[in-house]
Structures are given as structure tokens and as C-alpha cells.
Amino acid sequence: MNSLKNKHILSLQDLDLNEIISILDFAATLKKESKMDLSRKLLEGKTLGMVFQKPSTRTRVSFEIGMFQLGGHAIYLGINDMQLSKGETIEDTARTLSLYLDCLMARVYDHCDLEKLSTYSSIPIINGLSDLFHPCQILADLLTIREYKKKFNGLKLAWIGDGFNVCNDLLIGCAKTGINITAACPSGYEPPEWIVNISKKEGTKTGSIIKVTNEPIDAVQEADIVATDTFVSLGKDNEKIIRENVFIPKYQVNSELIKHAKDDAIFMHCLPAKRGQEVTSDVIDGKLSVVWKEAENRLHVQKALLCLLMRDN
Ligand code: CP
Ligand code: NVA
């Protein structure tokens, strides 16, 4: 097993292909063991801190339960309960928390906050969602894709909607694993050019083809996987009306759009979903949808990641 001891995981850029596969393989083992009611207390005596600047259902609960199942402990640190909200610096917070914790997961608005945390911490930092990346989600997505498609290389993934945090890390994750990805986003809402360029560069190593378009039907044509995310991410509430007008109906994943994908395509969504906006109920509740498996896999990949970050293995 490849230890990741003391690495920071701020995006999929922090993991090479071998490390990604190690996390997925270990997650698959832990998942199998948990289905058989076998739990190993691999993180006995270890403590994870969880800083949340914004709300969460899946990330909070899956990390907390994951630590509990592994025999460790998780502490929820809501931003308003911390001296951070009263002006203590991120640098000093990082130095202090490193004295008590074995690992820190943080969900922040500004990705720079995570970079500062990682610079001033002596413990591993995990990104639990920033305005740029969502690595834990993409690891769960890759595990889900592998479970359904049994491979990565040569698959076609169509991303429909906002070229934001989830899309950004998915571009990198697909590039690193050899999945061809086309992101169909409205003009002005495409993923940042530097992230597309990083992904294209990664893609040259695996043969993954990275494309960005404004045309959802082109992206979905013969796709193996169709994925989307909310049109109004956390922190974007002030753009809600503009965004809904720009995205709906052209970028909505509905039965009309998804019929252009392969018959055995899967539909993915990191959740939370806004039914009737980025996806219709018939698609998210339909036979192509794997969103609940995807949500479950957050638990398994994060347990694997926590073990690999905190143990010598
Ligand atoms: N997908 C995801 O990160 O969900 P939460 O916002 O509920 O954590
Ligand atoms: N793009 C979404 C993802 C939520 C998990 C957001 O940032 O709110």
C-alpha cells in the first residue's frame, strides 16, 4: 500500500495515478469489509478536525462516521465557533490545530485559505470543497465509475453545466485516469483556462482527450457517463436569477438530453441536487442514475484516504 503520510490533498493535482489507484483499491477493500461487518480500527487514537466555513451534509457526516468506524475521533469546527471568525489568522489557527490533531479537513470559500492552512500546518490538510476543487468528491466519482464500467481508459464523460469546483477536479481526475471528458458550459461559465491546460497536459500521458464546448448535445453524444452539479453553488446565491436564466433549459440534464448518451450510460451528481434545475426528477430517479452509490462512496474513499494520510501503512 502506498502511504501518503503527511501529504496535503488540496486537489487531484496532489495525487499521481498510482496514488489514486491505491486509494480506490483500499477504498474497495474497506467497502467490502464493511459490507461483511468487519471493521478494522486502523485509526485508533487519531483525531481529525473538520473546519466548515459553509454548510455540508455528505462531507461532514461521511468524514465523522468514517473516523468513528476506523476507531478514531472527529471534531466539528464550525467557523462561527472558532476564533478565526473573530480575527485570529489562518496561520496561527493552523499552527495551533497542528499541536492537537492528526489531520485537518477544511471546507472553505477561498482556496487560498487551504493553501495557507497547508503552508502553516505540520499535519495533513484535506480539501473538503473550495471555490476551486473538490478532490474527495472526485475520488468517490472515480470509484463509482470503476464499479460500473470496470475501467477508465477510453470512457467518455460529459460534464454539463457550471465549470466550477467539481468540474475542475473532474477534468484533472479524468485526465489522470485516461477518461475522455467534454465539459459543456455556457459562455462565461467554462472552467478556468489554466485548469483546462493542466488537464490537457496530464491527458497527454494517458491519452485522455479534454474538450470544452458550449453545446451540451455534442458533449453527451455517445457518452458513457453524464455528470452535472448545481447551477448555484454555495456562495453564489447573489447570482441565482442570472445563473438560472443562463443555464436553464439548455444545460439541464433531462430525458431529451440524456438520450444522446449510450444506452448503458450512467448519470452522476455530487449532490445536493436542485430537481427541475440542473437535473429533472425522471433522470436523477431513473435507471441510469448512480447518485446514491456515488454518495455512499464518499465514505469509503475518505476512510481510505484518512488511513493513508495518517498511517505508515
Ligand atoms: N457532495 C458534497 O460535498 O455534499 P455536501 O455539500 O453535502 O457535503
Ligand atoms: N459546486 C457545489 C458543490 C457542492 C458539493 C458548491 O460549491 O456548492
Side-chain angles (χ1 to χ4, degrees), residues 43-55:
L43 292 180
E44 201 153 20
K46 303 285 186 191
T47 306
L48 171 76
M50 309 188 297
V51 172
F52 282 95
Q53 289 182 0
K54 38 188 180 181

Side-chain angles (χ1 to χ4, degrees), residues 23-232:
I23 295 167
L24 302 186
D25 288 348
F26 192 30
T29 303
L30 292 173
K31 181 172 181 173
K32 206 163 134 193
E33 287 175 1
S34 80
K35 304 280 173 203
M36 294 159 68
D37 258 344
L38 297 172
S39 66
R40 283 185 281 160
K41 305 293 177 208
L42 296 170
L43 292 180
E44 201 153 20
K46 303 285 186 191
T47 306
L48 171 76
M50 309 188 297
V51 172
F52 282 95
Q53 289 182 0
K54 38 188 180 181
S56 163
T57 298
R58 280 143 287 268
T59 304
R60 177 183 175 177
V61 177
S62 55
F63 267 105
E64 193 162 333
I65 297 286
M67 283 302 288
F68 171 74
Q69 290 180 354
L70 291 163
H73 182 65
I75 303 177
Y76 175 79
L77 300 162
I79 188 71
N80 292 326
D81 300 325
M82 298 181 75
Q83 298 288 12
L84 252 182
S85 65
K86 297 285 172 212
E88 184 167 23
T89 63
I90 290 186
E91 291 85 335
D92 289 351
T93 304
R95 290 180 180 113
T96 306
L97 292 179
S98 298
L99 302 171
Y100 308 132
L101 301 166
D102 299 289
C103 184
L104 182 70
M105 185 275 290
R107 168 168 286 199
V108 301
Y109 284 101
D110 185 345
H111 192 76
C112 296
D113 288 358
L114 279 168
E115 286 173 347
K116 271 194 218 159
L117 274 175
S118 57
T119 303
Y120 292 93
S121 291
S122 57
I123 55 173
I125 303 295
I126 303 173
N127 179 359
L129 180 71
S130 70
D131 59 343
L132 278 183
F133 298 113
H134 199 1
C136 299
Q137 182 65 52
I138 306 314
L139 289 169
D141 292 358
L142 291 172
L143 181 62
T144 312
I145 291 170
R146 196 174 73 169
E147 285 173 352
Y148 279 89
K149 299 292 171 192
K150 314 289 178 214
K151 63 171 189 175
F152 293 129
N153 228 284
L155 291 175
K156 179 180 178 187
L157 189 152
W159 173 267
I160 311 297
D162 198 7
F164 195 48
N165 42 20
V166 176
C167 174
N168 293 345
D169 245 344
L170 195 54
L171 284 164
I172 298 171
C174 286
K176 289 198 176 201
T177 53
I179 299 175
N180 301 318
I181 175 168
T182 302
C185 315
S187 175
Y189 296 87
E190 295 97 342
E193 210 178 313
W194 66 271
I195 292 175
V196 176
N197 289 339
I198 286 177
S199 307
K200 285 186 173 164
K201 200 167 157 207
E202 290 290 344
T204 59
K205 298 179 206 159
T206 58
S208 157
I209 301 163
I210 314 292
K211 289 188 197 158
V212 178
T213 172
N214 302 128
E215 298 307 324
I217 295 178
D218 293 350
V220 171
Q221 216 61 251
E222 288 300 300
D224 299 282
I225 304 140
V226 179
T228 189
D229 182 16
T230 180
F231 294 150
V232 189

